[in-house]
Amino acid sequence: MRLTILGGGGFRVPLVYRALLADHRRTGITEVALHDVDAARLDGIGRVLAALARDVPDAPAVVTTTDLDTAVTGASFVFCAIRVGGLHGRVLDERIALDAGVLGQETVGAGGISYGLRTVPVAHHVASRIARLAPDAWTINFTNPAGLVTEAMTAELGDRVIGICDSPSGLVDRVLRVIGVDPATTRVDYAGLNHLGWLYGVGDDLLPGLLADTAKLESLEEGRLFGVDHVRELGAIPNEYLHYYYDAAGTLAAVRDAPQTRGAFLLEQQHRCYASLAATDDPLDAWLGAWREREATYMAENRELAGAGEREHDESRPAGYEGVALSVMRALARDEPARLILNVRNRGTLDVLDDAAVIEVPCTIDARGAVPEKVLPLPDHAVSLVRAVKTAERGVLEAVATGSRAAAVRAMAAHPLVGSTEIAGRLVDGYRASFRELGYLR
């Protein structure tokens, strides 16, 4: 079977291939096709993958191409991990938002709306080619904003596209370890949207005991990031990305005071990394060093602001998004049922959203696809935020479908971290100009 990775020159592709090497016989993957619009990045990542496979008997063959149709044709699985506009686009998203006085994080707020406006048209094109050239393929979407992009791709692919993120699984893993229960047998109530979810139920009413235990709460990244008192007030453990909402002013100030934005840091880091991959005799070591630096600096401003300390990064723990993706692929390919938190259509799971809305929720997945599990209703404090962000996402889909500036302004203004039509108009005009700078006219 062929696994196609769109965005195959991306920095995190070796994580996927490394996870696949450990499990390729169970998945049945014999070939990995990497597609990217940047041939030089493809070559650099190809060198890392060759180093990873050097001592692995019958490792899946790797082929590279810059032609989308060639990559997709014959695929059984497609991992979509594209970045429209590259990291330069992310830098512009961040800077334009900051200049307007609002947060410009990659998937949250103005930056996320801009990224969505730029990415959704490409996602529609990709989905249409998959539907035509590999109609039986399963598409696993990594592309951010993951919930929004997954919902866009359902127009062409229906339930054969599944969105993934590693933040919920990491949160649940940490909480279940602290409580001391078996993840395989413990149900959880986690729900929301991508980068906007809460863990608000564990097993047979086990969460209140954790919330009452100060030492255990403080041992969690989320307890330190949000503060024990705030977590207790919520009665839930928030996804780390909710820090952008719960301390918007503090985070905005911290980002402004930082020497550079996250996108600018990554742009410089990856420029160095890809240059070294082309020149070094040990591309794997060069890539590993850059990856560990990236992990250690993730959400650094938020953790410093909250006094949360260093990010937990234990390479012996369950893998990140690559582990989730491989678990999804195994369940689909081998009809081995699994329970995973995924981005899928609502289908009545959350009564505060319509059935077609893509949500992030525990699912049972097997060869037939992913089916959302029943969860307790969202906490009252989460409902208005989920509705507001989904309204902004739907506005992006409308703006892309119509090409309407007014629709884009409405989408931007609907987001809780923008909230002003006047600022939204300035942002949309700034982002439209940046799209032209990137060579992407919309």
Side-chain angles (χ1 to χ4, degrees), residues 182-248:
D182 181 1
T185 58
T186 305
R187 76 175 298 276
V188 297
D189 293 293
Y190 178 98
L193 307 178
N194 181 238
H195 291 178
L196 193 83
W198 297 260
L199 176 61
Y200 53 96
V202 177
D204 186 16
D205 204 25
L206 297 176
L207 189 59
L210 172 61
L211 296 177
D213 192 319
T214 299
K216 287 185 176 179
L217 265 187
E218 289 180 340
S219 74
L220 288 170
E221 284 188 13
E222 290 76 13
R224 299 190 299 273
L225 181 63
F226 293 99
V228 167
D229 290 341
H230 188 205
V231 172
R232 285 174 176 155
E233 289 167 3
L234 294 172
I237 312 294
N239 184 297
E240 60 192 347
Y241 279 85
L242 277 154
H243 195 261
Y244 292 109
Y245 296 88
Y246 291 155
D247 191 1

Side-chain angles (χ1 to χ4, degrees), residues 34 68 107 173 287 302 308 313 323 337 360 374 390 427:
L34 305 182
L68 176 63
T107 63
D173 176 61
W287 173 81
N302 304 71
H313 180 56
E360 194 167 76
K374 294 188 72 68
K390 181 54 71 174
L427 287 165

